[in-house]
mmCIF file of all heavy atoms in Angstrom:
data_model
loop_
_atom_site.group_PDB
_atom_site.id
_atom_site.type_symbol
_atom_site.label_atom_id
_atom_site.label_comp_id
_atom_site.label_asym_id
_atom_site.label_seq_id
_atom_site.Cartn_x
_atom_site.Cartn_y
_atom_site.Cartn_z
ATOM 1 N N LYS A 126 -24.005 10.900 21.980
ATOM 2 C CA LYS A 126 -24.866 11.498 23.018
ATOM 3 C C LYS A 126 -24.355 12.859 23.457
ATOM 4 O O LYS A 126 -25.131 13.794 23.658
ATOM 5 C CB LYS A 126 -24.994 10.553 24.203
ATOM 6 C CG LYS A 126 -25.837 9.338 23.877
ATOM 7 C CD LYS A 126 -25.994 8.420 25.058
ATOM 8 C CE LYS A 126 -26.870 7.253 24.618
ATOM 9 N NZ LYS A 126 -26.435 5.999 25.124
ATOM 10 N N ALA A 127 -23.045 12.992 23.579
ATOM 11 C CA ALA A 127 -22.466 14.250 24.057
ATOM 12 C C ALA A 127 -22.747 15.420 23.114
ATOM 13 O O ALA A 127 -22.890 16.553 23.568
ATOM 14 C CB ALA A 127 -20.960 14.096 24.258
ATOM 15 N N VAL A 128 -22.836 15.147 21.818
ATOM 16 C CA VAL A 128 -23.062 16.226 20.850
ATOM 17 C C VAL A 128 -24.503 16.234 20.325
ATOM 18 O O VAL A 128 -24.816 16.958 19.385
ATOM 19 C CB VAL A 128 -22.056 16.153 19.660
ATOM 20 C CG1 VAL A 128 -20.637 16.348 20.168
ATOM 21 C CG2 VAL A 128 -22.187 14.859 18.882
ATOM 22 N N GLU A 129 -25.362 15.417 20.963
ATOM 23 C CA GLU A 129 -26.782 15.337 20.579
ATOM 24 C C GLU A 129 -26.943 15.077 19.081
ATOM 25 O O GLU A 129 -27.707 15.731 18.375
ATOM 26 C CB GLU A 129 -27.524 16.594 21.011
ATOM 27 C CG GLU A 129 -27.508 16.776 22.513
ATOM 28 C CD GLU A 129 -28.230 18.026 22.979
ATOM 29 O OE1 GLU A 129 -28.883 18.714 22.171
ATOM 30 O OE2 GLU A 129 -28.148 18.312 24.183
ATOM 31 N N PHE A 130 -26.210 14.078 18.611
ATOM 32 C CA PHE A 130 -26.187 13.695 17.209
ATOM 33 C C PHE A 130 -27.455 12.933 16.860
ATOM 34 O O PHE A 130 -27.845 12.000 17.556
ATOM 35 C CB PHE A 130 -24.947 12.821 16.969
ATOM 36 C CG PHE A 130 -24.811 12.313 15.579
ATOM 37 C CD1 PHE A 130 -24.504 13.162 14.534
ATOM 38 C CD2 PHE A 130 -24.963 10.957 15.308
ATOM 39 C CE1 PHE A 130 -24.351 12.683 13.250
ATOM 40 C CE2 PHE A 130 -24.808 10.468 14.039
ATOM 41 C CZ PHE A 130 -24.505 11.339 12.998
ATOM 42 N N ASN A 131 -28.097 13.319 15.776
ATOM 43 C CA ASN A 131 -29.303 12.646 15.322
ATOM 44 C C ASN A 131 -28.929 11.642 14.231
ATOM 45 O O ASN A 131 -28.855 11.964 13.049
ATOM 46 C CB ASN A 131 -30.309 13.664 14.790
ATOM 47 C CG ASN A 131 -31.660 13.040 14.498
ATOM 48 O OD1 ASN A 131 -31.751 11.917 14.007
ATOM 49 N ND2 ASN A 131 -32.717 13.767 14.808
ATOM 50 N N ARG A 132 -28.699 10.429 14.647
ATOM 51 C CA ARG A 132 -28.245 9.353 13.760
ATOM 52 C C ARG A 132 -29.234 9.083 12.640
ATOM 53 O O ARG A 132 -28.855 8.983 11.467
ATOM 54 C CB ARG A 132 -28.012 8.095 14.590
ATOM 55 C CG ARG A 132 -27.554 6.908 13.810
ATOM 56 C CD ARG A 132 -27.547 5.657 14.723
ATOM 57 N NE ARG A 132 -27.423 4.471 13.936
ATOM 58 C CZ ARG A 132 -28.431 3.886 13.308
ATOM 59 N NH1 ARG A 132 -29.643 4.367 13.370
ATOM 60 N NH2 ARG A 132 -28.222 2.798 12.599
ATOM 61 N N ASP A 133 -30.510 8.937 12.968
ATOM 62 C CA ASP A 133 -31.515 8.612 11.953
ATOM 63 C C ASP A 133 -31.617 9.700 10.879
ATOM 64 O O ASP A 133 -31.707 9.402 9.688
ATOM 65 C CB ASP A 133 -32.888 8.371 12.594
ATOM 66 C CG ASP A 133 -32.908 7.110 13.441
ATOM 67 O OD1 ASP A 133 -32.101 6.190 13.179
ATOM 68 O OD2 ASP A 133 -33.738 7.035 14.373
ATOM 69 N N ARG A 134 -31.589 10.941 11.302
ATOM 70 C CA ARG A 134 -31.665 12.047 10.337
ATOM 71 C C ARG A 134 -30.421 12.065 9.443
ATOM 72 O O ARG A 134 -30.501 12.304 8.248
ATOM 73 C CB ARG A 134 -31.831 13.390 11.039
ATOM 74 C CG ARG A 134 -32.063 14.521 10.024
ATOM 75 C CD ARG A 134 -32.366 15.850 10.672
ATOM 76 N NE ARG A 134 -33.591 15.771 11.446
ATOM 77 C CZ ARG A 134 -33.784 16.383 12.603
ATOM 78 N NH1 ARG A 134 -32.843 17.137 13.124
ATOM 79 N NH2 ARG A 134 -34.909 16.263 13.256
ATOM 80 N N THR A 135 -29.272 11.794 10.045
ATOM 81 C CA THR A 135 -28.034 11.764 9.268
ATOM 82 C C THR A 135 -28.084 10.675 8.201
ATOM 83 O O THR A 135 -27.769 10.920 7.037
ATOM 84 C CB THR A 135 -26.816 11.531 10.187
ATOM 85 O OG1 THR A 135 -26.781 12.568 11.154
ATOM 86 C CG2 THR A 135 -25.528 11.498 9.399
ATOM 87 N N LEU A 136 -28.472 9.477 8.599
ATOM 88 C CA LEU A 136 -28.558 8.371 7.640
ATOM 89 C C LEU A 136 -29.561 8.684 6.534
ATOM 90 O O LEU A 136 -29.304 8.413 5.354
ATOM 91 C CB LEU A 136 -28.922 7.070 8.357
ATOM 92 C CG LEU A 136 -27.864 6.546 9.325
ATOM 93 C CD1 LEU A 136 -28.387 5.344 10.093
ATOM 94 C CD2 LEU A 136 -26.576 6.212 8.590
ATOM 95 N N SER A 137 -30.680 9.265 6.898
ATOM 96 C CA SER A 137 -31.676 9.664 5.905
ATOM 97 C C SER A 137 -31.097 10.676 4.924
ATOM 98 O O SER A 137 -31.296 10.577 3.705
ATOM 99 C CB SER A 137 -32.908 10.232 6.614
ATOM 100 O OG SER A 137 -33.830 10.713 5.671
#
Side-chain angles (χ1 to χ4, degrees):
K126 289 182 179 140
V128 297
E129 298 180 8
F130 178 70
N131 189 321
R132 180 188 166 279
D133 292 334
R134 186 174 298 143
T135 302
L136 294 174
S137 175

